[in-house]
Amino acid sequence: MNRPETSSRRNFLKTAGTAAVVAGVATYVPRHVLGAEGAPAANDKVNLGVIGFGNRCKYVMGGTLPHEDVRCVAIADVWSKHRADGKAMVDKHYGNSDCETLRDFRELLDRKDIDAVLIATGDRWHAAASILAAKAGKDVYSEKPCGITIEDCQQLADTITAEKKVFQAGTQRRSVPNFQKAVELLHSGKLGELQTMHASVYRPVLDNSWLPAQPQPSQEDVDWNLWLGPAAWRPFNLAYVQGKWRGQWDFDSGARLLDWGAHTVDLCQWANKADGTMPIEFDPYENGIHCRYENGVKLEIDFLDNPFGDRSPQYITRLGTCPVRFIGTEGWVETGDSGEIVCSSPALQKEITEDTSRVRGLDVASHSRNFLDCIRSRELTAANQNVMRKSHIACHAAAAAWIFDRKLAIDPQKETFVNDADANGLISRADRNWNV
């Protein structure tokens, strides 16, 4: 879908949907699995609960279940088919039938034997479910985007810190060798002084059209109220539950800019050593958004019309999806999900040694390993709540600039737009009371 005219995008916001009430749950730390320092004892397994089972969750579980020190004990999903599919995967892995299934994830959070949760619902639920889980005493691995608004990201980060929980955002490329090597090459000084970074994203869309209403199934088959959760009400259609919620303003994040931006902008934040800040200016144009950091480094967010096909001329197509490029005064490096790294000169290419393993950018094995290790050490993860907060808010700010089709300035510490009431109106959304 092409970008609407500016007036259409502004009018769209007047009728766009809203988000939901988050109820508090008493904190509980399961003592029988804790070591002396409040972490699971060395010989204990981390008991994992899953909230939301679909294609992405299946992929994450494929990289998590093989770790010997974790055991998935329960799956909660509002759709009976997903519950059955999740249980089948887990039971097959362990060779038993022990995995419990639940329709309401709050029952999973009530289980005192569960130490951590994997949250892989749609975007609309990530922040609310993560907050409830942390308040219930669970460590949290949340798929990205972790918050559908700036306020969601702020409240999530604040809650994780206040509850002293371990948090890992599902931005797994921070744990993938080729992206690590590209950042290392920059930080070593071999590219010279950093000048410009490029982050690939989908071309944004604004849509909130309803699918035709269908007869609402029984609550045990599909709990429609709980599926909607923090999002505005609309009539049931099974296609939403099957994944057709993507691209919908009520359900998706930042006009879809965060689908890839949560990864690629995040990598640029890391490259610029900017995990505690973000760009201060966002200036949209037809094919992307010019961004500028306070230290003068430029970030180019590039819209791709064919992100899963020919990504030229902006990027080298063979490097795969989610490509990024870091340009310094002495050269550049580009990499993507294929695992290959390309440098601007033979001398720089020699820095990419054979011991740099090639792992697909979608692989989560190392990222989930980092999460489990930090559950024991209580240290910050690679994609902790503070990292998530700034990189996600940067993406939301970029999306706001595109929506209003004008240059926006943001205070990176206050996390508010400068002298722009309209843009600040996008920081949060009204809540829907789903907790009935």
Side-chain angles (χ1 to χ4, degrees), residues 179-240:
F179 292 104
Q180 292 175 327
K181 183 64 177 180
V183 172
E184 176 190 323
L185 193 64
L186 172 64
H187 289 176
S188 71
K190 292 183 173 64
L191 300 183
E193 184 179 352
L194 179 62
Q195 301 286 297
T196 305
M197 304 176 294
H198 286 263
S200 57
V201 299
Y202 299 164
R203 184 172 291 277
V205 296
L206 279 180
D207 185 18
N208 216 30
S209 55
W210 287 8
L211 294 175
Q214 294 178 342
Q216 191 167 316
S218 70
Q219 189 181 49
E220 282 303 312
D221 187 10
V222 177
D223 188 330
W224 183 236
N225 174 66
L226 204 55
W227 187 93
L228 286 170
W233 183 89
R234 66 173 65 187
F236 172 81
N237 187 297
L238 184 61
Y240 293 131

Side-chain angles (χ1 to χ4, degrees), residues 24-79:
V25 179
T27 301
Y28 180 86
V29 180
R31 300 300 307 167
H32 70 284
V33 296
L34 297 186
E37 300 300 322
N43 295 326
D44 286 336
K45 293 182 183 292
V46 173
N47 282 341
L48 181 71
V50 172
I51 300 173
F53 187 90
N55 289 334
R56 180 58 191 166
C57 183
K58 185 176 181 179
Y59 198 93
V60 176
M61 292 283 278
T64 302
L65 291 177
H67 297 309
E68 294 184 357
D69 57 344
V70 65
R71 190 168 193 86
C72 180
V73 297
I75 290 177
D77 196 287
V78 300
W79 189 17

Side-chain angles (χ1 to χ4, degrees), residues 262-421:
H263 291 293
T264 58
V265 172
D266 177 66
L267 290 167
C268 291
Q269 287 270 110
W270 184 22
N272 193 30
K273 299 181 180 179
D275 283 338
T277 185
M278 66 184 82
I280 59 174
E281 291 179 351
F282 300 83
D283 191 4
Y285 67 105
E286 182 180 1
N287 292 314
I289 303 171
H290 303 299
C291 313
R292 183 177 64 84
Y293 286 85
E294 200 165 18
N295 66 357
V297 171
K298 297 175 182 178
L299 167 63
E300 297 292 338
I301 298 177
D302 301 312
F303 299 162
L304 298 184
D305 289 316
N306 193 8
F308 295 97
D310 183 1
R311 289 172 288 274
S312 65
Q314 298 103 316
Y315 298 92
I316 302 170
T317 295
R318 75 171 190 272
L319 297 185
T321 50
C322 283
V324 291
R325 185 187 308 122
F326 310 138
I327 303 171
T329 53
E330 304 298 325
W332 55 262
V333 61
E334 182 176 331
T335 192
D337 283 343
S338 74
E340 183 183 358
I341 303 171
V342 173
C343 298
S344 56
S345 69
L348 284 173
Q349 198 67 46
K350 289 181 181 179
E351 298 291 333
I352 312 303
T353 57
E354 292 183 2
D355 62 357
T356 301
S357 57
R358 289 183 62 166
V359 176
R360 290 185 66 233
L362 292 170
D363 189 272
V364 300
S366 295
H367 207 53
S368 58
R369 177 71 265 158
N370 174 248
F371 176 56
L372 295 171
D373 289 344
C374 289
I375 287 176
R376 298 182 183 282
S377 69
R378 311 314 291 174
E379 295 178 356
L380 291 172
T381 61
N384 60 72
Q385 68 271 23
N386 304 315
V387 165
M388 175 279 299
R389 178 178 190 143
K390 295 299 186 183
S391 63
H392 273 46
I393 292 176
C395 291
H396 280 296
W402 176 81
I403 289 167
F404 290 111
D405 198 23
R406 66 170 181 261
K407 185 176 181 179
L408 296 179
I410 196 169
D411 184 317
Q413 300 311 315
K414 293 181 179 179
E415 298 170 345
T416 56
F417 295 99
V418 178
N419 299 323
D420 199 314

